[in-house]
Structures are given as structure tokens and as C-alpha cells.
Amino acid sequence: MKNFFIDPVAIPCIIIYNRTDNIMSEKRSCIEMSILTDISEALQKGRAKIVSQLVTQALDEGMSPEVILNEGLLAGMNVVGEKFQKNEVFVPEVLIAARAMNAGTAIIKPRLAEEGVEPLGKVCIGTVEGDLHDIGKNLVKMMLEGKGIEVIDLGTDVSAEKFVSTAIAEGCGVICCSALLTTTMNVMKSVVEKANEMGVRDRVKIMVGGAPVTQSFCDAIGADAYTSDAASAAIKAAEFLAAAKA
């Protein structure tokens, strides 16, 4: 059996090396946190060009695209969503923040795909048949994307069959229906009925919203959730998708 000898002179060197290694690790961690904070803050201010530059820099420095997405881009959009709920920011600020987020995600999407990073889930969204209003629907879409959800936007004047057939074809866990007119909101009931008819009601959640829609209407038609604003809609959809994955 061989005897191993550790030179006492080398022990301080080992300690110094370990300390140096830890310091370097902490330094890298601080740099990463700094750039992620910068991405979040630039996004909140709607600085699309700066967000693009920072995301590119982070990737060049070897940072994980998933970390950039979750702790930089989505973290910033979550702050915007919370402020929107509290009426601290308004539609224009949300729009420019969403534009900045899209600029950043466009850069990391190919890398996310390469690494097999999947979205939280899929949602299809649209304004119901007979209704051409889309501002509220577009806001919800932005907030959903800000939660890391893949969104299939069906546009306006969407039939009940189109909502449900898209959800089936695309594997959506949630259908989001928007209506601004009292004359069109009953189409939401048709969406629920169509989901039952096509045998997917047990695995697809149906959310409703829009100016004339209320919680009592949601309950009456058998939908799964009503929310009064875009940020709340995104939170609820994320909860449904997370629960489905659990």
C-alpha cells in the first residue's frame, strides 16, 4: 500500500486557490445578476434596443438563455403586469414594454429551442364571433407571453368551433375568449358547449373577459374563470397550465 504525503507548504496554496475560486464564482454571479437586472429595468422602460443589446451580451458571456428569459425578460414583464393591476402604468407603457420583451425573446428563441426549453403551456385567444374589438384581447396576449406562455392569436370574429378545434389541434390547455359587446358575449356559452360536444371540456380550461362580462355570467355559462383585467387573466392562465403539468 502506498503512503501518500501532503506537503504542508502546499496547504496554504490549496486554501488560497479555493478562496480565489469562490471569489471568482461570486464575482461571476454578481455580474450575471447585474445584467439580468439591467435587462429587466430596460424592458420596464420599453427600451427595446437596449434590451436586445443586453440579451446578446448575456448570451456572449455564456449565460443560459433560460435564465435570461426567466430572470431578465419575464421578471421585467411581471413587474409591468403588477403595476398595470395597480394602475401605476397604463396601456401605452404596457405596449412598449411588450415590444421590448419581444425584441429580447426573438434573440433567445433559437437558443431556447436548441436546449429544449419549453413554454409553460399553450393558450389560444380571440375575440368572439360578431365582435371586431381587439385592444383588450391584445393586452391579454402580451401579458400571457410575459408569463412564458405560448399564445395562438385567432384574431377577432372567432367562432366557437374555431376556438375549440384550434385548442385540440395545437394542444392548448386554455381558451381565452374576449367580448366587448353584450350582443356577442353569448358566443362564449357556445364555446363551452362546443368544448363539451367535442369531448375536451375536461382537459381545456375556458376563460372569459371583456367590458360586459361578469363573474355571474361566467358561472352561468359554465366557464372556468373570469378576470377583470389583462394581468389577472395571465396569472390565472398560468395557474391553470401549471396545475395541468403538476
Side-chain angles (χ1 to χ4, degrees):
M1 187 173 184
K2 292 183 179 179
N3 293 320
F4 291 93
F5 173 74
I6 298 176
D7 186 353
V9 177
I11 293 174
C13 297
I14 294 169
I15 293 170
I16 291 169
Y17 176 80
N18 286 337
R19 285 179 180 171
T20 304
D21 191 50
N22 289 337
I23 290 168
M24 291 300 293
S25 178
E26 288 175 9
K27 186 176 180 181
R28 283 195 299 271
S29 179
C30 289
I31 291 170
E32 286 183 2
M33 287 305 299
S34 175
I35 194 168
L36 291 170
T37 300
D38 289 345
I39 289 170
S40 173
E41 291 178 352
L43 184 149
Q44 292 170 49
K45 295 173 184 175
R47 306 284 178 79
K49 187 175 180 180
I50 294 175
V51 168
S52 297
Q53 292 170 346
L54 289 169
V55 168
T56 301
Q57 179 186 336
L59 288 172
D60 289 344
E61 292 177 3
M63 199 178 297
S64 160
E66 187 173 7
V67 170
I68 297 168
L69 176 66
N70 293 328
E71 298 181 32
L73 297 169
L74 298 186
M77 202 62 196
N78 282 338
V79 173
V80 174
E82 289 168 7
K83 288 183 176 180
F84 184 67
Q85 275 187 300
K86 298 174 184 176
N87 292 322
E88 293 175 6
V89 298
F90 302 97
V91 174
E93 288 91 343
V94 174
L95 291 174
I96 62 171
R99 192 179 304 127
M101 190 188 78
N102 289 337
T105 54
I107 294 170
I108 61 171
K109 264 185 181 179
R111 292 284 298 275
L112 289 169
E114 286 173 12
E115 296 189 8
V117 178
E118 296 182 355
L120 179 59
K122 278 188 183 182
V123 169
C124 62
I125 187 171
T127 307
V128 299
E129 191 170 20
D131 199 326
L132 300 177
H133 297 89
D134 67 355
I135 294 176
K137 183 263 299 176
N138 290 342
L139 277 174
V140 174
K141 176 187 175 182
M142 291 173 194
M143 291 297 182
L144 289 168
E145 291 175 336
K147 289 290 182 184
I149 298 169
E150 183 178 344
V151 183
I152 298 165
D153 188 353
L154 300 175
T156 61
D157 194 25
V158 183
S159 68
E161 185 173 357
K162 181 72 176 290
F163 273 115
V164 181
S165 61
T166 300
I168 294 170
E170 297 289 343
C172 299
V174 179
I175 294 172
C176 290
C177 304
S178 174
L180 196 68
L181 305 173
T182 55
T183 53
T184 62
M185 57 193 285
N186 279 324
V187 176
M188 294 175 173
K189 182 180 179 181
S190 300
V191 175
V192 176
E193 292 171 345
K194 183 60 69 174
N196 278 316
E197 179 187 318
M198 297 179 76
V200 294
R201 187 67 188 89
D202 60 333
R203 63 177 188 267
V204 178
K205 299 296 184 182
I206 298 173
M207 295 177 56
V208 296
V213 182
T214 62
Q215 183 62 55
S216 59
F217 175 78
C218 171
D219 296 338
I221 66 171
D224 295 291
Y226 157 76
T227 56
S228 59
D229 61 80
S232 299
I235 291 169
K236 177 56 71 174
E239 288 174 358
F240 281 144
L241 292 171
K245 279 189 171 184

